[in-house]
Amino acid sequence: MGRQLWRSIAVVGAVAALTVSCGWAAAIHAAEISADQVEGRWTSEGGTSLTFQEDRTFTAEHLDRLPVASDCKEPSALSSGRWAFYAPTESSQFNAADESATRGTVVSLIFSASDCEVAAYLFGDEDDPVMCPTGDPDVGCPSDGYLERNQAAASAS
């Protein structure tokens, strides 16, 4: 191989490494899904589950097993609450939880009992997304912490 080809390969490799290390990976692999696709039960290999209802309520089981739960005062109280997509606001340059948003790439989980909010990022593609409750999408979830829609939820969308 010539020097020119090796140089091109090195540039592509460097760009890929920078993309992952600078936090662009989450934006590149974010999945935008509808509220209908969120509804239903999502489970992880580690035993965590979230069940989303049409009325924007949810229940959680074993969310305290995920690292993001340590950001809340009472991780064992993370059992139910309301959910919404993060969406742009008119009065701010930042996104906020908005229950009227019908699509999104990040779900806000607002827990009733502990007054704690957790962001759950959606990755993959629209037809087969995974959900990662985390404080930092670049850190991601432990390998057994990614939540997938169960087959009943996936076939209903």
Side-chain angles (χ1 to χ4, degrees), residues 17-119:
L18 285 172
T19 299
V20 171
S21 67
C22 292
W24 297 341
I28 291 171
H29 300 292
E32 182 174 332
I33 66 173
S34 68
D36 293 344
Q37 290 171 287
V38 172
E39 294 165 12
R41 186 174 170 96
W42 294 66
T43 57
S44 75
E45 290 179 10
T48 300
S49 72
L50 293 168
T51 304
F52 296 92
Q53 305 300 323
E54 183 178 359
D55 67 357
R56 298 291 176 123
T57 61
F58 72 92
T59 57
E61 295 176 14
H62 308 297
L63 193 75
D64 57 329
R65 295 178 180 172
L66 297 179
V68 70
S70 65
D71 295 340
C72 298
K73 289 180 186 173
E74 298 178 56
S76 62
L78 303 180
S79 62
S80 66
R82 299 197 58 78
W83 70 273
F85 286 115
Y86 280 101
T89 61
E90 292 180 22
S91 61
S92 173
Q93 64 186 16
F94 300 105
N95 292 344
D98 180 358
E99 286 193 26
S100 67
T102 59
R103 296 184 67 78
T105 59
V106 183
V107 176
S108 168
L109 306 172
I110 304 163
F111 290 91
S112 306
S114 65
D115 194 29
C116 180
E117 183 175 358
V118 171

